[in-house]
């Protein structure tokens, strides 16, 4: 397998830091350079030996890279790409890890028109945490997790194959799909759950003044279903704004579910409720038990 001379991670946070550590652990690259807008982040990343060199200067950081990972918030991935494209080495690979893909793929197609030599692949690791920052990075984060890849139409399959092999080496399960399907399906299994978790918390604050008293009564159910409500809002604003057209439709479908349940409650439809919960139980247990 080809070893990367220099990998540059732009945005050395939870995901960027975890990818750097995972690639290092598997000896997939010789040198790792980190670029961030925050000097404290670079200092910490050097201290934890997540990166070998760090800089606040994008141009300097990407110039000699063979693989560039864009691990900044979704709303700035395109801006960074536009800024660096003229400095990138001939035939380098660029992988972004943003949680939405349609906007980013369209930006990459537009901005890289005059750099047909570059291999841009849209990526989305379906692994993460509610914690942010390099201090929470984990070299094993991607083990067993899906890593969605969205190649640009013009990319040769062999180039995507090389990237897939590196990602498989860090334990990920590569899934190749198109950006529209990605934003729809991931909208249901990641973005909607995030919103539901936040709503479960916020419904308390809207209806109680003694929230802490109510929270002190919660057991595992509330904690399990609301862990992700503790995530960084800045990351999620970008995700929701970027996927807003699909999310509006997904929300309509979700509201239909809630209205159905409300109707069952109004007519005390025990049979309907039994069917409803049984269906969910069956789908969830069959899938996740088979997955083990
Ligand atoms: N957190 C998750 O669970 C998760 C999972 C999969 C994908 N993602 C995606 O990964 C990306 C990074 O998320 P994260 O959770 O690692 O966030 P994070 O906050 O831990 O890290 C982001 C880093 O980017 C830096 N940054 C921000 N703007 C920058 C800029 N213009 N130039 C250089 N550095 C900049 C920040 O200082 C920070 O260090 C996002 O696009 C997110 O959607 C997140
Ligand atoms: O496990 C978590 O904490 C996550 O929220 C990770 C999670 C998700 O599964 O929805 C969140 C956003 C990412 O884009 C990918 C993965």
């Amino acid at each position: 397998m080809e070893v990367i001379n220099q990998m540059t991670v732009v945005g050395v946070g939870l995901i960027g830091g975890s990818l750097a550590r995972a690639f290092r652990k598997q000896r997939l690259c010789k040198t790792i350079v980190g670029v961030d807008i925050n000097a404290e982040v670079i200092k910490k990343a050097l201290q934890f030996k997540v990166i070998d060199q760090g800089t606040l200067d994008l141009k300097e950081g990407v110039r000699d890279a063979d693989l560039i990972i864009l691990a900044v918030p979704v709303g700035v991935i395109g801006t960074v790409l536009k800024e660096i494209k003229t400095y990138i080495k001939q035939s380098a690979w660029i992988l972004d890890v943003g949680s939405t893909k349609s906007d980013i793929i369209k930006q990459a197609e537009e901005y890289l028109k005059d750099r047909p030599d570059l291999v841009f692949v849209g990526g989305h690791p379906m692994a993460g945490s509610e914690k942010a920052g390099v201090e929470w990075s984990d070299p094993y984060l991607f083990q067993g997790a899906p890593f969605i890849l969205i190649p640009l139409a013009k990319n040769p399959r062999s180039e995507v194959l090389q990237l897939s092999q590196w990602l498989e080496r860090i334990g990920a399960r590569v899934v190749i799909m198109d950006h529209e399907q990605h934003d729809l399906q991931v909208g249901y299994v990641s973005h909607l759950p995030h919103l539901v978790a936040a709503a479960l918390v916020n419904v308390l604050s809207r209806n109680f003044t003694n929230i802490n008293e109510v929270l002190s009564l919660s057991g595992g159910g509330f904690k399990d279903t609301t862990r992700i409500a503790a995530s960084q809002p800045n990351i999620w604003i970008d995700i929701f704004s970027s996927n807003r057209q699909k999310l509006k439709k997904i929300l309509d479908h979700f509201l239909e579910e809630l209205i159905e349940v409300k109707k069952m409650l109004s007519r005390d439809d025990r049979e309907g409720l039994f069917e409803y919960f049984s269906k969910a139980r069956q789908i969830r247990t069959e899938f996740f038990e088979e997955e083990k």
Side-chain angles (χ1 to χ4, degrees), residues 13-269:
L14 173 80
I15 301 297
S18 299
L19 272 172
R21 295 178 66 185
F23 270 62
R24 190 192 292 291
K25 212 162 202 72
Q26 292 304 321
R27 298 179 206 280
L28 291 173
C29 54
K30 293 184 187 153
T31 307
I32 304 180
V33 175
V35 183
D36 207 280
I37 37 161
N38 186 338
E40 275 303 303
V41 170
I42 293 295
K43 205 167 130 191
K44 269 191 246 168
L46 285 167
Q47 216 173 21
F48 302 151
K49 299 193 173 10
V50 170
I51 54 174
D52 303 302
Q53 296 160 31
T55 176
L56 301 178
D57 184 336
L58 254 180
K59 180 181 164 189
E60 184 193 317
V62 300
R63 204 173 32 207
D64 298 320
D66 303 286
L67 170 65
I68 299 169
I69 309 274
L70 301 179
V72 291
V74 162
V76 285
I77 290 174
T79 321
V80 169
L81 188 61
K82 205 173 180 181
E83 209 173 319
I84 63 177
K85 68 166 193 176
T86 45
Y87 308 115
I88 306 174
K89 208 163 126 176
Q90 186 78 12
S91 307
W93 275 281
I94 310 164
L95 170 72
D96 88 283
V97 295
S99 304
T100 66
K101 294 271 63 84
S102 290
D103 281 356
I104 295 167
I105 292 290
K106 284 176 197 155
Q107 287 163 341
E109 269 164 355
E110 172 65 24
Y111 301 157
L112 300 180
K113 265 189 194 141
D114 50 354
R115 288 296 312 264
D117 57 299
L118 300 175
V119 184
F120 180 94
V121 181
H124 185 190
M126 291 306 297
S129 146
E130 74 282 13
K131 305 279 199 277
V134 67
E135 52 274 52
W136 294 98
S137 63
D138 171 4
Y140 304 108
L141 185 66
F142 310 102
Q143 295 267 351
F147 203 121
I148 301 166
L149 289 184
I150 300 170
L152 297 189
K154 67 166 191 67
N155 278 344
R157 281 200 80 79
S158 58
E159 307 286 29
V160 181
L161 194 69
Q162 170 64 84
L163 193 58
S164 304
Q165 283 172 354
W166 287 327
L167 295 173
E168 277 160 7
R169 268 284 281 277
I170 64 166
R173 180 166 57 80
V174 172
V175 180
I176 297 181
M177 63 195 297
D178 79 75
H179 60 83
E180 288 288 339
Q181 281 305 310
H182 170 277
D183 285 1
L184 179 69
Q185 295 179 12
V186 169
Y188 278 98
V189 296
S190 176
H191 308 164
L192 177 65
H194 188 82
L195 174 65
V196 172
L200 287 173
V201 176
N202 287 344
V203 71
L204 292 181
S205 70
R206 199 185 282 274
N207 293 286
F208 292 97
T209 47
N210 57 338
I211 307 178
N212 287 348
E213 199 182 311
V214 182
L215 282 174
S216 73
L217 303 176
S218 62
F222 189 82
K223 278 193 201 141
D224 285 354
T225 48
T226 60
R227 174 182 61 81
I228 51 179
S231 304
Q232 294 291 319
N234 66 316
I235 292 288
W236 285 94
I237 301 167
D238 280 9
I239 296 171
F240 270 70
S241 166
S242 166
N243 203 19
R244 65 188 180 285
Q245 301 305 350
K246 299 242 176 348
L247 279 171
K248 282 193 295 179
K249 292 201 181 111
I250 294 170
L251 258 185
D252 282 341
H253 293 158
F254 188 64
L255 290 171
E256 281 163 23
E257 290 293 312
L258 299 184
I259 289 166
E260 272 312 302
V261 176
K262 193 173 173 193
K263 283 184 194 156
M264 288 184 224
L265 290 178
S266 301
R267 49 177 197 264
D268 196 15
D269 183 357

